[in-house]
Amino acid sequence: DEYEEKWDDETEECENDVAGLSLSFLTVQAIRFAIGGLLPDTEGGESLSAMRNHGPSEWLVLLACGLGFGTLGMTLMHLDGMILEEDADGWHFKKRVLNISGDYFTFGNAWCLYYGVEWALSSQLVGSEEALLHVIISLFLSAVAFLMIFVLDKVVDHGIVKEGSVAAVETIILAFGVLIGFAWEQS
Protein backbone atom coordinates (compact mmCIF):
# COMPACT_ATOMS: atom_id res chain seq x y z
CA ASP A 1 0.00 0.00 0.00
CA GLU A 2 1.32 3.44 -0.97
CA TYR A 3 0.32 5.12 2.31
CA GLU A 4 1.91 2.42 4.42
CA GLU A 5 5.15 2.77 2.46
CA LYS A 6 5.11 6.55 3.01
CA TRP A 7 4.40 5.96 6.73
CA ASP A 8 7.38 3.59 6.97
CA ASP A 9 9.66 6.08 5.20
CA GLU A 10 8.66 8.97 7.47
CA THR A 11 8.95 6.83 10.60
CA GLU A 12 12.40 5.65 9.60
CA GLU A 13 13.53 9.21 8.94
CA CYS A 14 12.28 10.28 12.40
CA GLU A 15 14.08 7.32 14.01
CA ASN A 16 17.29 8.32 12.22
CA ASP A 17 16.95 11.92 13.42
CA VAL A 18 16.30 10.89 17.03
CA ALA A 19 19.24 8.47 17.00
CA GLY A 20 21.58 11.13 15.61
CA LEU A 21 20.32 13.80 17.99
CA SER A 22 20.55 11.62 21.10
CA LEU A 23 23.95 10.13 20.32
CA SER A 24 25.45 13.49 19.39
CA PHE A 25 24.14 15.17 22.55
CA LEU A 26 25.67 12.48 24.75
CA THR A 27 28.95 12.57 22.84
CA VAL A 28 29.23 16.35 23.12
CA GLN A 29 28.50 16.20 26.85
CA ALA A 30 31.38 13.72 27.21
CA ILE A 31 33.61 16.01 25.10
CA ARG A 32 32.67 18.98 27.30
CA PHE A 33 33.57 16.94 30.37
CA ALA A 34 36.91 15.93 28.85
CA ILE A 35 37.72 19.54 27.93
CA GLY A 36 36.36 21.44 30.92
CA GLY A 37 36.53 18.85 33.69
CA LEU A 38 32.92 19.45 34.74
CA LEU A 39 30.08 17.13 33.79
CA PRO A 40 27.03 19.15 32.69
CA ASP A 41 23.61 18.30 34.11
CA THR A 42 21.19 16.05 32.24
CA GLU A 43 20.00 18.94 30.06
CA GLY A 44 23.53 20.09 29.27
CA GLY A 45 23.46 23.08 31.60
CA GLU A 46 26.18 24.51 33.80
CA SER A 47 26.02 27.21 36.42
CA LEU A 48 27.02 30.72 35.35
CA SER A 49 30.14 30.58 37.52
CA ALA A 50 31.16 27.27 35.91
CA MET A 51 30.60 28.68 32.41
CA ARG A 52 32.76 31.71 33.21
CA ASN A 53 35.65 29.51 34.29
CA HIS A 54 36.14 28.13 30.77
CA GLY A 55 39.03 29.99 29.22
CA PRO A 56 39.76 30.58 25.54
CA SER A 57 41.78 27.38 25.25
CA GLU A 58 38.74 25.34 26.31
CA TRP A 59 36.10 27.02 24.18
CA LEU A 60 38.38 27.10 21.15
CA VAL A 61 38.93 23.33 21.48
CA LEU A 62 35.16 22.82 21.70
CA LEU A 63 34.59 24.99 18.62
CA ALA A 64 37.31 23.01 16.82
CA CYS A 65 35.47 19.79 17.74
CA GLY A 66 32.37 21.33 16.17
CA LEU A 67 34.33 22.08 13.03
CA GLY A 68 35.50 18.45 13.01
CA PHE A 69 31.93 17.18 13.42
CA GLY A 70 30.79 19.44 10.57
CA THR A 71 33.59 18.35 8.27
CA LEU A 72 32.91 14.67 8.90
CA GLY A 73 29.17 15.21 8.37
CA MET A 74 29.71 16.99 5.06
CA THR A 75 32.14 14.31 3.92
CA LEU A 76 29.65 11.55 4.72
CA MET A 77 26.84 13.33 2.89
CA HIS A 78 29.06 13.97 -0.10
CA LEU A 79 30.26 10.37 -0.23
CA ASP A 80 26.76 8.98 0.33
CA GLY A 81 25.80 9.01 -3.33
CA MET A 82 29.20 7.84 -4.51
CA ILE A 83 29.73 4.71 -2.40
CA LEU A 84 26.26 3.21 -2.33
CA GLU A 85 24.72 1.45 -5.26
CA GLU A 86 21.02 0.82 -4.88
CA ASP A 87 21.26 -2.74 -6.17
CA ALA A 88 24.04 -3.80 -3.79
CA ASP A 89 23.47 -6.31 -1.00
CA GLY A 90 22.50 -4.64 2.26
CA TRP A 91 21.99 -1.31 0.51
CA HIS A 92 19.10 -0.25 2.75
CA PHE A 93 21.03 -1.00 5.97
CA LYS A 94 24.14 0.80 4.73
CA LYS A 95 22.07 3.78 3.63
CA ARG A 96 20.42 3.97 7.04
CA VAL A 97 23.74 3.78 8.88
CA LEU A 98 25.08 6.57 6.67
CA ASN A 99 21.97 8.69 7.34
CA ILE A 100 22.23 8.22 11.11
CA SER A 101 25.96 8.97 10.99
CA GLY A 102 25.32 12.09 8.94
CA ASP A 103 22.71 13.25 11.46
CA TYR A 104 25.08 12.41 14.31
CA PHE A 105 27.86 14.58 12.90
CA THR A 106 25.48 17.36 11.85
CA PHE A 107 23.85 17.61 15.26
CA GLY A 108 27.24 17.17 16.98
CA ASN A 109 28.43 20.19 15.04
CA ALA A 110 25.45 22.24 16.23
CA TRP A 111 25.87 21.17 19.87
CA CYS A 112 29.60 21.98 19.87
CA LEU A 113 29.02 25.37 18.25
CA TYR A 114 26.28 26.21 20.74
CA TYR A 115 28.25 25.25 23.85
CA GLY A 116 31.49 26.72 22.48
CA VAL A 117 29.81 30.09 21.92
CA GLU A 118 28.13 29.80 25.34
CA TRP A 119 31.51 29.27 27.00
CA ALA A 120 33.13 32.07 24.98
CA LEU A 121 30.46 34.69 25.61
CA SER A 122 29.94 33.81 29.27
CA SER A 123 33.66 34.12 29.96
CA GLN A 124 33.88 37.48 28.14
CA LEU A 125 30.67 39.22 29.19
CA VAL A 126 30.18 40.95 32.49
CA GLY A 127 27.03 40.67 34.57
CA SER A 128 25.24 38.15 36.67
CA GLU A 129 21.98 37.74 34.76
CA GLU A 130 21.97 34.25 33.25
CA ALA A 131 18.74 34.78 31.28
CA LEU A 132 20.21 37.84 29.55
CA LEU A 133 23.34 35.88 28.69
CA HIS A 134 21.26 33.13 27.03
CA VAL A 135 19.29 35.69 25.01
CA ILE A 136 22.55 37.32 23.85
CA ILE A 137 23.90 33.89 22.88
CA SER A 138 20.68 33.11 20.98
CA LEU A 139 20.70 36.43 19.14
CA PHE A 140 24.38 36.06 18.22
CA LEU A 141 23.99 32.49 16.98
CA SER A 142 20.79 33.35 15.11
CA ALA A 143 22.48 36.23 13.29
CA VAL A 144 25.50 34.13 12.33
CA ALA A 145 23.35 31.17 11.30
CA PHE A 146 20.94 33.29 9.22
CA LEU A 147 23.89 34.90 7.44
CA MET A 148 25.45 31.50 6.69
CA ILE A 149 22.13 30.02 5.55
CA PHE A 150 21.59 32.99 3.23
CA VAL A 151 25.07 32.61 1.71
CA LEU A 152 24.75 28.82 1.33
CA ASP A 153 21.31 29.16 -0.25
CA LYS A 154 22.71 31.61 -2.81
CA VAL A 155 25.59 29.21 -3.51
CA VAL A 156 23.13 26.40 -4.28
CA ASP A 157 20.79 28.67 -6.27
CA HIS A 158 23.62 29.86 -8.53
CA GLY A 159 24.87 26.31 -9.16
CA ILE A 160 28.31 26.96 -7.68
CA VAL A 161 28.42 23.50 -6.07
CA LYS A 162 28.27 20.24 -7.98
CA GLU A 163 25.04 18.23 -7.98
CA GLY A 164 26.46 15.63 -5.58
CA SER A 165 27.42 18.31 -3.07
CA VAL A 166 23.97 19.90 -2.84
CA ALA A 167 22.94 17.35 -0.18
CA ALA A 168 26.03 18.28 1.87
CA VAL A 169 25.16 21.99 1.66
CA GLU A 170 21.55 21.25 2.62
CA THR A 171 22.86 19.30 5.62
CA ILE A 172 24.93 22.31 6.69
CA ILE A 173 21.83 24.48 6.39
CA LEU A 174 19.94 21.96 8.52
CA ALA A 175 22.72 22.11 11.13
CA PHE A 176 22.42 25.89 11.32
CA GLY A 177 18.65 25.62 11.68
CA VAL A 178 19.06 23.11 14.48
CA LEU A 179 21.65 25.39 16.11
CA ILE A 180 19.15 28.25 16.16
CA GLY A 181 16.57 25.95 17.73
CA PHE A 182 19.05 24.75 20.37
CA ALA A 183 20.00 28.31 21.24
CA TRP A 184 16.46 29.60 21.70
CA GLU A 185 15.35 26.49 23.56
CA GLN A 186 18.13 27.06 26.11
CA SER A 187 17.28 30.75 26.65
Side-chain angles (χ1 to χ4, degrees):
D1 177 63
E2 178 186 340
Y3 294 113
E4 186 174 342
E5 201 172 299
K6 184 68 173 165
W7 175 271
D8 288 342
D9 290 344
E10 292 298 320
T11 303
E12 186 174 297
E13 185 178 338
C14 289
E15 289 171 352
N16 293 349
D17 290 346
V18 168
L21 187 65
S22 302
L23 292 171
S24 66
F25 179 77
L26 294 173
T27 302
V28 170
Q29 299 321 303
I31 290 170
R32 289 174 62 201
F33 177 67
I35 294 170
L38 178 67
L39 186 64
D41 64 22
T42 56
E43 295 179 1
E46 293 178 329
S47 67
L48 187 58
S49 61
M51 284 190 290
R52 288 197 171 151
N53 288 332
H54 297 292
S57 62
E58 292 177 350
W59 50 265
L60 285 173
V61 169
L62 189 56
L63 290 173
C65 288
L67 184 63
F69 270 109
T71 302
L72 288 170
M74 286 188 312
T75 303
L76 270 179
M77 291 297 154
H78 183 70
L79 294 177
D80 183 13
M82 295 173 23
I83 55 178
L84 290 179
E85 295 178 17
E86 209 166 321
D87 298 337
D89 289 336
W91 175 83
H92 184 75
F93 175 76
K94 292 174 186 174
K95 178 78 172 165
R96 188 155 189 202
V97 168
L98 270 177
N99 285 339
I100 291 172
S101 299
D103 287 347
Y104 169 79
F105 289 119
T106 299
F107 294 138
N109 169 268
W111 287 120
C112 284
L113 292 178
Y114 172 76
Y115 288 115
V117 168
E118 181 181 64
W119 284 1
L121 291 180
S122 64
S123 67
Q124 303 301 316
L125 296 176
V126 202
S128 60
E129 192 60 46
E130 193 169 348
L132 179 61
L133 173 66
H134 284 291
V135 170
I136 291 170
I137 292 168
S138 299
L139 288 170
F140 175 78
L141 287 172
S142 294
V144 170
F146 283 133
L147 177 66
M148 292 304 297
I149 289 170
F150 179 78
V151 168
L152 290 171
D153 185 52
K154 292 298 178 193
V155 165
V156 170
D157 288 347
H158 287 63
I160 296 172
V161 295
K162 296 178 186 174
E163 188 63 36
S165 300
V166 171
V169 173
E170 289 173 350
T171 300
I172 297 168
I173 290 172
L174 171 68
F176 282 122
V178 169
L179 176 63
I180 293 169
F182 290 162
W184 285 105
E185 190 273 331
Q186 293 288 324
S187 64

